[in-house]
Amino acid sequence: MAINAHLKNIANLIPTQIRDTAYVRLWALRKVPLLGWVRPQILELTDQKTVVKIPLNRRTKNHLNSMYFGVLACGADTAGGLIAVRQIAESGEKISLIFKDFKAEFLKRPEDDTIFTCNDGSIIKEMIEETIKSGERVNRTVHVVATCPKTFDDEPVAKFALTLSLKLKKER
Protein backbone atom coordinates (compact mmCIF):
# COMPACT_ATOMS: atom_id res chain seq x y z
CA MET A 1 0.00 0.00 0.00
CA ALA A 2 2.83 2.41 0.83
CA ILE A 3 4.43 1.78 -2.56
CA ASN A 4 1.20 2.79 -4.33
CA ALA A 5 1.05 6.01 -2.31
CA HIS A 6 4.67 6.80 -3.24
CA LEU A 7 4.00 6.09 -6.93
CA LYS A 8 0.94 8.33 -6.80
CA ASN A 9 2.99 11.13 -5.22
CA ILE A 10 5.65 10.77 -7.90
CA ALA A 11 3.00 10.75 -10.66
CA ASN A 12 1.52 13.96 -9.24
CA LEU A 13 4.90 15.69 -9.73
CA ILE A 14 4.69 15.11 -13.49
CA PRO A 15 2.80 17.85 -15.38
CA THR A 16 -0.72 16.75 -16.31
CA GLN A 17 -0.25 17.09 -20.08
CA ILE A 18 2.84 14.88 -20.04
CA ARG A 19 1.24 12.31 -17.72
CA ASP A 20 -1.98 12.11 -19.79
CA THR A 21 -0.04 11.87 -23.07
CA ALA A 22 2.20 9.10 -21.67
CA TYR A 23 -0.83 7.19 -20.39
CA VAL A 24 -2.60 7.34 -23.77
CA ARG A 25 0.52 6.37 -25.73
CA LEU A 26 1.35 3.43 -23.44
CA TRP A 27 -2.24 2.21 -23.51
CA ALA A 28 -2.30 2.58 -27.30
CA LEU A 29 0.92 0.61 -27.79
CA ARG A 30 -0.69 -2.26 -25.90
CA LYS A 31 -4.27 -2.10 -27.14
CA VAL A 32 -4.42 -0.04 -30.38
CA PRO A 33 -0.92 0.08 -31.96
CA LEU A 34 -2.07 2.29 -34.84
CA LEU A 35 -3.02 5.01 -32.35
CA GLY A 36 0.45 4.73 -30.80
CA TRP A 37 1.99 5.08 -34.26
CA VAL A 38 0.39 8.51 -34.86
CA ARG A 39 1.64 9.76 -31.45
CA PRO A 40 -1.28 11.81 -30.10
CA GLN A 41 -0.51 14.50 -27.55
CA ILE A 42 -3.10 15.37 -24.90
CA LEU A 43 -3.29 19.15 -24.56
CA GLU A 44 -6.29 19.27 -22.22
CA LEU A 45 -8.34 16.66 -20.41
CA THR A 46 -11.14 17.64 -18.04
CA ASP A 47 -14.55 16.21 -17.24
CA GLN A 48 -16.04 18.56 -19.85
CA LYS A 49 -13.46 18.83 -22.59
CA THR A 50 -10.68 16.97 -24.36
CA VAL A 51 -8.13 18.54 -26.69
CA VAL A 52 -5.81 16.21 -28.61
CA LYS A 53 -3.05 17.16 -31.04
CA ILE A 54 -1.74 14.90 -33.78
CA PRO A 55 1.34 16.17 -35.61
CA LEU A 56 1.51 16.23 -39.38
CA ASN A 57 4.62 14.25 -40.25
CA ARG A 58 5.88 11.36 -42.35
CA ARG A 59 3.68 8.92 -40.43
CA THR A 60 0.44 10.91 -40.65
CA LYS A 61 0.35 12.57 -44.05
CA ASN A 62 -0.92 11.36 -47.39
CA HIS A 63 0.44 11.80 -50.91
CA LEU A 64 -0.97 15.39 -51.01
CA ASN A 65 0.95 16.39 -47.85
CA SER A 66 -2.22 16.72 -45.82
CA MET A 67 -3.32 14.54 -42.91
CA TYR A 68 -4.51 11.10 -44.00
CA PHE A 69 -8.21 10.58 -43.26
CA GLY A 70 -7.48 7.44 -41.21
CA VAL A 71 -5.31 9.54 -38.91
CA LEU A 72 -8.13 12.10 -38.65
CA ALA A 73 -10.36 9.22 -37.52
CA CYS A 74 -7.78 8.29 -34.85
CA GLY A 75 -7.80 11.87 -33.55
CA ALA A 76 -11.59 12.01 -33.40
CA ASP A 77 -11.74 8.62 -31.68
CA THR A 78 -9.19 9.70 -29.07
CA ALA A 79 -10.83 13.07 -28.33
CA GLY A 80 -14.31 11.58 -28.13
CA GLY A 81 -13.36 8.51 -26.10
CA LEU A 82 -10.88 9.95 -23.64
CA ILE A 83 -13.45 11.96 -21.66
CA ALA A 84 -15.52 8.78 -21.32
CA VAL A 85 -12.51 6.74 -20.19
CA ARG A 86 -11.69 9.36 -17.54
CA GLN A 87 -15.27 9.62 -16.27
CA ILE A 88 -15.74 5.85 -16.21
CA ALA A 89 -12.58 5.50 -14.12
CA GLU A 90 -13.84 8.18 -11.72
CA SER A 91 -17.22 6.41 -11.40
CA GLY A 92 -15.55 3.28 -10.03
CA GLU A 93 -17.86 1.11 -12.14
CA LYS A 94 -16.84 -1.38 -14.80
CA ILE A 95 -18.33 0.01 -18.00
CA SER A 96 -17.37 -1.01 -21.52
CA LEU A 97 -17.23 1.62 -24.21
CA ILE A 98 -17.17 1.41 -27.95
CA PHE A 99 -18.09 3.62 -30.87
CA LYS A 100 -21.14 2.28 -32.67
CA ASP A 101 -20.82 4.48 -35.75
CA PHE A 102 -18.72 7.29 -37.15
CA LYS A 103 -19.70 10.18 -39.40
CA ALA A 104 -17.18 12.63 -40.82
CA GLU A 105 -17.40 15.85 -42.76
CA PHE A 106 -14.10 16.91 -44.31
CA LEU A 107 -14.12 20.67 -44.93
CA LYS A 108 -10.52 21.64 -45.74
CA ARG A 109 -7.22 19.87 -46.20
CA PRO A 110 -5.41 19.67 -42.84
CA GLU A 111 -1.90 20.63 -43.93
CA ASP A 112 -0.40 21.11 -40.47
CA ASP A 113 -0.60 19.70 -36.95
CA THR A 114 -4.27 19.05 -36.21
CA ILE A 115 -6.15 19.72 -32.98
CA PHE A 116 -9.20 17.60 -32.10
CA THR A 117 -11.64 19.03 -29.55
CA CYS A 118 -14.60 17.37 -27.86
CA ASN A 119 -16.78 19.45 -25.52
CA ASP A 120 -19.41 16.79 -24.76
CA GLY A 121 -18.37 15.86 -21.23
CA SER A 122 -21.82 16.60 -19.78
CA ILE A 123 -23.49 14.28 -22.33
CA ILE A 124 -21.02 11.52 -21.46
CA LYS A 125 -21.54 12.03 -17.72
CA GLU A 126 -25.32 11.63 -18.21
CA MET A 127 -24.68 8.48 -20.24
CA ILE A 128 -22.56 6.95 -17.50
CA GLU A 129 -25.16 7.75 -14.85
CA GLU A 130 -27.93 6.27 -17.00
CA THR A 131 -25.85 3.16 -17.73
CA ILE A 132 -25.21 2.58 -14.03
CA LYS A 133 -28.84 3.24 -13.08
CA SER A 134 -30.50 1.16 -15.81
CA GLY A 135 -27.90 -1.54 -16.37
CA GLU A 136 -28.76 -1.23 -20.07
CA ARG A 137 -26.66 -0.16 -23.06
CA VAL A 138 -26.81 3.61 -23.66
CA ASN A 139 -25.98 5.21 -27.04
CA ARG A 140 -25.49 8.92 -27.69
CA THR A 141 -23.71 11.02 -30.27
CA VAL A 142 -20.60 12.95 -29.30
CA HIS A 143 -19.07 15.60 -31.51
CA VAL A 144 -15.44 16.34 -32.31
CA VAL A 145 -14.11 19.29 -34.29
CA ALA A 146 -10.68 19.24 -35.96
CA THR A 147 -8.76 22.47 -36.56
CA CYS A 148 -5.34 23.47 -37.87
CA PRO A 149 -4.63 26.66 -35.89
CA LYS A 150 -1.39 27.54 -37.73
CA THR A 151 -3.15 27.45 -41.10
CA PHE A 152 -6.83 28.22 -40.51
CA ASP A 153 -7.02 29.63 -36.94
CA ASP A 154 -10.20 28.26 -35.30
CA GLU A 155 -11.94 27.38 -38.57
CA PRO A 156 -12.80 23.65 -38.66
CA VAL A 157 -11.05 21.42 -41.17
CA ALA A 158 -13.29 18.48 -40.24
CA LYS A 159 -16.29 17.68 -38.06
CA PHE A 160 -17.09 14.28 -36.62
CA ALA A 161 -20.17 12.71 -35.04
CA LEU A 162 -19.48 9.44 -33.23
CA THR A 163 -22.12 7.33 -31.51
CA LEU A 164 -20.66 6.36 -28.17
CA SER A 165 -22.08 3.15 -26.74
CA LEU A 166 -21.70 2.34 -23.02
CA LYS A 167 -22.73 -0.80 -21.16
CA LEU A 168 -22.24 -1.97 -17.61
CA LYS A 169 -20.01 -5.05 -17.54
CA LYS A 170 -21.61 -8.09 -15.97
CA GLU A 171 -19.82 -9.82 -13.13
CA ARG A 172 -18.64 -13.32 -14.02
Side-chain angles (χ1 to χ4, degrees):
M1 191 78 151
I3 292 173
N4 285 339
H6 289 301
L7 290 175
K8 196 171 190 175
N9 288 337
I10 290 169
N12 287 334
L13 295 174
I14 301 169
T16 305
Q17 270 188 327
I18 294 170
R19 189 175 60 233
D20 291 343
T21 297
Y23 170 79
V24 168
R25 288 183 182 176
L26 288 171
W27 179 87
L29 287 174
R30 217 173 118 233
K31 300 288 186 172
V32 186
L34 178 60
L35 184 59
W37 177 253
V38 302
R39 301 184 51 80
Q41 180 183 355
I42 310 309
L43 302 179
E44 184 177 345
L45 175 57
T46 68
D47 286 343
Q48 295 303 313
K49 180 179 184 179
T50 302
V51 181
V52 176
K53 174 182 171 184
I54 296 184
L56 182 71
N57 58 34
R58 176 185 68 78
R59 295 176 178 198
T60 61
K61 64 183 173 179
N62 63 20
H63 62 289
L64 299 173
N65 290 320
S66 63
M67 191 163 285
Y68 178 61
F69 84 97
V71 175
L72 292 167
C74 287
D77 175 283
T78 303
L82 202 51
I83 296 175
V85 169
R86 176 190 171 115
Q87 289 187 11
I88 289 168
E90 288 174 357
S91 79
E93 297 289 338
K94 293 185 183 274
I95 298 173
S96 63
L97 109 145
I98 194 159
F99 287 109
K100 185 176 175 182
D101 66 29
F102 183 94
K103 295 177 182 127
E105 183 180 2
F106 302 108
L107 307 167
K108 296 181 180 275
R109 286 188 7 197
E111 297 174 325
D112 207 331
D113 297 350
T114 304
I115 308 296
F116 300 85
T117 304
C118 179
N119 291 304
D120 289 346
S122 57
I123 293 169
I124 294 168
K125 185 174 181 72
E126 289 172 10
M127 288 179 68
I128 292 169
E129 290 169 357
E130 186 178 340
T131 300
I132 293 168
K133 187 176 180 181
S134 72
E136 299 295 319
R137 180 172 299 282
V138 176
N139 301 310
R140 299 256 170 75
T141 302
V142 296
H143 297 88
V144 177
V145 175
T147 59
C148 291
K150 290 180 184 175
T151 311
F152 300 112
D153 295 319
D154 290 335
E155 196 173 338
V157 295
K159 294 180 181 180
F160 305 92
L162 299 87
T163 301
L164 179 62
S165 184
L166 302 179
K167 185 173 182 185
L168 203 58
K169 291 181 182 177
K170 294 180 182 177
E171 297 293 323
R172 290 187 181 203

